[in-house]
Amino acid sequence: MSQEPADQPDATRPPPLPGPAPAPAHGTRAQRRHARRAARRALPSWRRAIPTWRMLLGGLTGLLLLGIAAFVTLYLVVPVPDPNAHAVAQNNIYYYADGTELARTGAVNRTDVTIGQIPLDTQHAAVSAEDRTFYRNKGVDLKGMIRGGWNTVTGKGTQGGSTITQQYVKNYYLTQDQTISRKVKELFISLKVDQQQSKDQILAGYLNTSYFGRNAYGIQSAANAYFDTDVSRLTTAQSAYLAALLQAPSAYDVKNATPANRAKAVARWNYVLDGMVTLGFLDPAVRAATVFPEPVDPRPVTGLSGQSGYLVDIADTYLAATGTVDAATLKAGGWRITTTFEKAKQDAFAAAVRQQLSDELDPAARPGTDTDVRVAGASVEPATGRLVAAYGGPDYAKQPFNDALRQDNQIGSTFKPLELAAGIENDATTQDGRRITTETVYDGTSGRDVVGGPTPYAPPNEDDIDYGSVTLRQAMVKSVNSVYAQEGVDAGLDDVRDTAIRLGIPADVPGMDPANTSMTLGTVTPSAVDLAAVYAALANHGQAQSPWSVLKLEHTGYSDLPPLPDHPATTALERGTADAVTGVLRDVISARGTGAAALALGRPAAGKTGTTDSNLAAWFAGYTPELATAVSLFRENPKTHGKESLAGTAGLARINGGSFPTDIWTAYMTEALDGTRVQRFDLQPAHGNTQATQNPTASPGRSTAPSPSRTPTAAPTAAPTATATPSTAPSPTPAPTPSPTATATGSPAPTRSSTATAAATTTTGPAAAPPRP
């Protein structure tokens, strides 16, 4: 058997290179891995620093998996937060009865609206301007996010490319901070919001939270600020302009822009419209015909200055007092409140105070008497109880305390009609058993003792005039204190109090105390709003309604708004009683009555003057068939808030209810009723209360001298003549002396009279009603 020789090296093959032996082509996985590692260790160090393709692939795969895990983790961990405080802050908007804006309150000028209130063109303009993929994307734009992040890292400022959803998330849930952490949160919250909310909800949220310039947050405020309109009435051109503002609100306001910025604003407006065509939202022919809309000039946001603040305060007080909306809920904002106030009447009230009083005051010349003079007033519609105007002060921004609502001024003789009503309504009798009617005769001797009262009381008449025997009608015309102090006791002070409450005097106001005889002359302290409502009930034949000031409530955040109260009328007095009192109060507005100045109104009216002890307040409350108004005048120390005498005001020795208050009432009512049909009183007085004579005559006893003219003469030769206007409505402690007449310097000064001289020479009876037009 032959043996083959062993294999010999092939001389033709090159010798093997030095180094590790190559990995075996076969073997287990572990062997192959071990061989690869051994081979890599044998490589030079510079070569080992370069990763293999396997290492690169593995690293990238690991990073991808790590990124996915981090993304999922963050998506699960990052919650959708509660809205930030600024995003939900809204102002309240108040309107006059006709829809004219009255005021806005709140730190943020924004009023949210629903998507249904926003026109489609306005919605589409926003999409065209800010995010043309809005209806297709999932809430984020990856390219935009990368670009925004890069701009932040490189310090290039404001990012671009965010979707509408991202901008909404930033506005509503986050802040405006330009940080990477905020952008990361924005990304994940946007993804979640896109899953949780509809596109309509997102778009509405975006448009309600975006800033448009001119201190306008949200599309509703922007529509008002730039085009003086409601969002629902925006045109296509206006919508495109507001959408253009979103990119640069201040720079693109063409009323404040440089020529270059105006050109940019118009170019942006065109961009928006062209995008609407591209997206199929706008017909090309309509686009071609669209003209750039010029916005209105910038205006300050309607705040609370002037009379606005007082009216807002009255409306807020009414809503809280009736339990409709509490103060905290109102403060949260977002309410649209239509009030009962009528702008023309409100302007007329402010003008009447300015013309009849403010223009006659001279604080520089008379700092001791012409400073700190204040007026309160209110005007109520008798048939409905609507509060149509009020005067709370000269300017809410300077004097925020609302004088129309204050309940700390005695009303004096304006309380007397309530006493007469109580006596007639309850068939009360005098001390000697005679039934009380408007024609019942009383003793008008000044300072006589009241018989049968709970406390001693002997009030003087103004200027201590004795009137002798006078009817209750005549005593009302001359406002005879001694008569009505006794009549109130005869009517029964408890019944007088009950009658006052039924008519509208709040039960809890000070001064209406049947245990004190002085209650009869008006120690009670209702507000001007309260007293206007009382006289409105007399005008409405005894049907009383609580005064109210809110017509309508709206709020986009409530699906079920709180209902406003009903306003049912209640029978405070029988018609015969109320009409009897009205008949008497018509005689007060006559040439011989304390309300003679109101004859200038030139239409049927009834009313009563009131002046309190020490001349601390003066009132006039009166009405026509369609409108009742109360006006009060007083002085108050701004530091101590103590009441000061009106004596010396405007250089006059004494201020009666028939002077400035009646003048303001007459001027206001003249303007408020201008152009309306003259209405006559339809009176049906109870039996025994028919007027005995159409011309109130001077009663027996000491006669009164003619009343002086309203304006003091340049050089009076004698002391001022007396008027029959009451000057006292005593405080709980009877004051038997008449009101002081001295001026601040102690020298005699004319008295501002309640009687107009011209009226006295032309009219001798009750106010004559002009014929119907």
Side-chain angles (χ1 to χ4, degrees):
M1 167 184 276
S2 65
Q3 293 184 337
E4 292 185 5
D7 290 337
Q8 297 296 321
D10 188 347
T12 63
R13 296 179 180 178
L17 293 174
H26 303 287
T28 65
R29 181 178 299 175
Q31 290 174 329
R32 291 196 298 270
R33 184 167 57 250
H34 177 74
R36 285 195 299 272
R37 288 175 178 173
R40 185 167 182 79
R41 283 194 296 270
L43 292 174
S45 59
W46 65 268
R47 180 67 181 80
R48 292 197 302 270
I50 300 174
T52 65
W53 67 270
R54 289 187 178 90
M55 295 173 66
L56 287 174
L57 182 60
L60 290 175
T61 301
L63 288 174
L64 179 61
L65 292 174
L66 183 62
I68 293 172
F71 185 90
V72 172
T73 301
L74 288 172
Y75 183 85
L76 295 174
V77 170
V78 175
V80 176
D82 292 331
N84 64 63
H86 188 273
V88 296
Q90 299 182 62
N91 54 15
N92 291 326
I93 305 179
Y94 297 78
Y95 301 94
Y96 286 104
D98 64 357
T100 304
E101 187 171 317
L102 165 62
R104 291 176 180 240
T105 63
V108 178
N109 180 25
R110 172 174 43 239
T111 302
D112 286 350
V113 290
T114 63
I115 195 67
Q117 295 172 275
I118 304 173
L120 279 176
D121 276 352
T122 308
Q123 300 176 39
H124 294 157
V127 170
S128 174
E130 295 297 304
D131 181 7
R132 295 185 179 182
T133 68
F134 172 68
Y135 290 110
R136 302 192 308 273
N137 65 47
K138 298 300 181 183
V140 297
D141 177 355
L142 185 58
K143 292 180 180 179
M145 286 292 293
I146 294 173
R147 181 173 62 250
W150 177 253
N151 287 343
T152 299
V153 170
T154 57
K156 293 182 179 179
T158 304
Q159 299 92 346
S162 294
T163 64
I164 280 177
T165 306
Q166 289 173 275
Q167 294 181 62
Y168 164 55
V169 166
K170 178 178 64 177
N171 294 340
Y172 193 68
Y173 297 107
L174 301 174
T175 67
Q176 304 300 314
D177 294 341
Q178 307 295 347
T179 62
I180 293 178
S181 63
R182 198 270 297 161
K183 289 295 291 183
V184 171
K185 289 181 180 179
E186 178 187 301
L187 168 66
F188 290 102
I189 295 172
S190 296
L191 291 170
K192 284 190 172 182
V193 166
D194 187 73
Q195 295 298 311
Q196 297 171 2
Q197 299 182 23
S198 69
K199 291 293 186 181
D200 280 351
Q201 289 175 308
I202 294 170
L203 186 57
Y206 170 68
L207 289 173
N208 279 322
T209 55
S210 294
Y211 182 60
F212 290 83
R214 296 193 181 185
N215 196 36
Y217 290 86
I219 191 68
Q220 174 71 286
S221 296
N224 180 267
Y226 287 92
F227 298 107
D228 193 23
T229 190
D230 186 83
V231 62
S232 62
R233 294 190 289 270
L234 286 172
T235 66
T236 301
Q238 292 169 344
S239 298
Y241 177 70
L242 294 181
L245 286 171
L246 290 166
Q247 186 180 67
S250 298
Y252 288 173
D253 185 346
V254 296
K255 290 298 183 179
N256 293 321
T258 63
N261 279 344
R262 179 185 175 89
K264 291 178 181 178
V266 174
R268 181 68 176 176
W269 175 78
N270 282 310
Y271 167 82
V272 174
L273 289 173
D274 290 343
M276 293 174 69
V277 173
T278 301
L279 296 172
F281 296 144
L282 185 63
D283 184 87
V286 175
R287 161 69 183 98
T290 303
V291 178
F292 185 80
E294 285 294 331
V296 299
D297 290 330
R299 301 164 301 168
V301 175
T302 310
L304 299 180
S305 61
Q307 294 297 302
S308 299
Y310 302 117
L311 304 186
V312 167
D313 184 42
I314 291 172
D316 286 354
T317 300
Y318 170 76
L319 290 172
T322 57
T324 306
V325 182
D326 60 41
T329 305
L330 273 176
K331 188 177 181 180
W335 295 94
R336 300 177 71 177
I337 301 168
T338 303
T339 70
T340 58
F341 301 113
E342 299 179 16
K343 190 176 189 309
K345 289 183 174 64
Q346 187 61 40
D347 291 344
F349 218 141
V353 173
R354 183 176 62 254
Q355 295 162 5
Q356 300 300 318
L357 175 65
S358 302
D359 289 351
E360 298 209 20
L361 299 178
D362 191 348
R366 296 183 290 270
T369 60
D370 283 18
T371 55
D372 311 324
V373 181
R374 300 168 76 153
V375 174
S379 193
V380 173
E381 192 175 76
T384 64
R386 290 195 315 134
L387 188 59
V388 297
Y391 188 88
D395 186 345
Y396 191 81
K398 299 177 181 178
Q399 180 197 300
F401 192 86
N402 194 341
D403 291 333
L405 295 178
R406 69 187 305 152
Q407 295 177 327
D408 61 351
N409 285 314
Q410 295 182 358
I411 64 172
S413 293
T414 54
F415 191 71
K416 289 173 181 173
L418 283 65
E419 297 176 292
L420 177 60
I424 296 173
E425 183 82 352
N426 296 297
D427 290 326
T429 59
T430 65
Q431 294 294 309
D432 58 3
R434 291 173 292 122
R435 177 170 167 262
I436 292 178
T437 71
T438 61
E439 313 312 318
T440 301
V441 176
Y442 272 80
D443 180 1
T445 301
S446 179
R448 74 174 184 83
D449 290 330
V450 174
V451 179
T455 56
Y457 195 36
N461 299 327
E462 185 176 2
D463 296 322
D464 205 27
I465 297 173
D466 289 332
Y467 288 90
S469 297
V470 292
T471 66
L472 288 174
R473 178 184 301 277
Q474 293 166 337
M476 188 75 76
V477 170
K478 293 297 184 182
S479 200
V480 182
N481 291 336
S482 60
V483 168
Y484 273 93
Q486 183 64 59
E487 190 276 337
V489 169
D490 294 348
L493 294 183
D494 286 324
D495 287 338
V496 170
R497 182 179 187 276
D498 291 343
T499 299
I501 292 172
R502 290 198 308 271
L503 283 167
I505 300 289
D508 58 351
V509 296
M512 198 158 58
D513 181 10
N516 198 314
T517 309
S518 64
M519 184 190 92
T520 55
L521 296 188
T523 57
V524 66
T525 60
S527 70
V529 173
D530 298 329
L531 191 61
V534 168
Y535 275 65
L538 294 174
N540 198 30
H541 311 292
Q543 298 298 303
Q545 292 175 291
S546 296
W548 53 285
S549 54
V550 176
L551 283 170
K552 185 170 63 173
L553 277 179
E554 298 173 277
H555 197 298
T556 56
Y558 289 81
S559 58
D560 187 17
L561 286 170
L564 287 168
D566 293 328
H567 312 289
T570 60
T571 301
L573 297 173
E574 294 295 330
R575 175 167 184 164
T577 300
D579 287 0
V581 174
T582 294
V584 172
L585 297 185
R586 285 202 62 192
D587 287 352
V588 173
I589 300 179
S590 69
R592 301 299 299 275
T594 59
L599 284 170
L601 178 61
R603 62 172 70 206
K608 185 69 187 77
T609 56
T611 310
T612 67
D613 223 15
S614 301
N615 210 182
L616 296 182
W619 290 78
F620 185 77
Y623 51 94
T624 63
E626 66 269 49
L627 195 60
T629 301
V631 178
S632 170
L633 183 69
F634 61 99
R635 291 183 66 221
E636 180 176 288
N637 187 299
K639 295 182 179 179
T640 66
H641 300 290
K643 298 296 187 298
E644 299 175 335
S645 175
L646 289 167
T649 299
L652 303 175
R654 182 174 59 216
I655 304 299
N656 295 323
S659 59
F660 285 119
T662 304
D663 293 336
I664 293 169
W665 183 94
T666 305
Y668 160 70
M669 292 287 282
T670 299
E671 186 65 24
L673 298 174
D674 183 46
T676 65
R677 179 179 64 86
V678 174
Q679 297 188 31
R680 301 176 184 276
F681 288 105
D682 177 20
L683 302 182
Q684 301 174 21
H687 177 70
N689 294 282
T690 304
Q691 184 173 338
T693 173
Q694 293 298 314
N695 299 317
T697 58
S699 55
R702 189 184 304 172
S703 62
T704 59
S707 300
S709 63
R710 165 181 163 174
T711 306
T713 57
T717 58
T721 55
T723 67
T725 307
S727 64
T728 57
S731 58
T733 301
T737 57
S739 301
T741 59
T743 64
T745 60
S747 59
T751 300
R752 185 177 173 97
S753 169
S754 64
T755 306
T757 303
T761 61
T762 59
T763 309
T764 59
R772 294 179 184 272

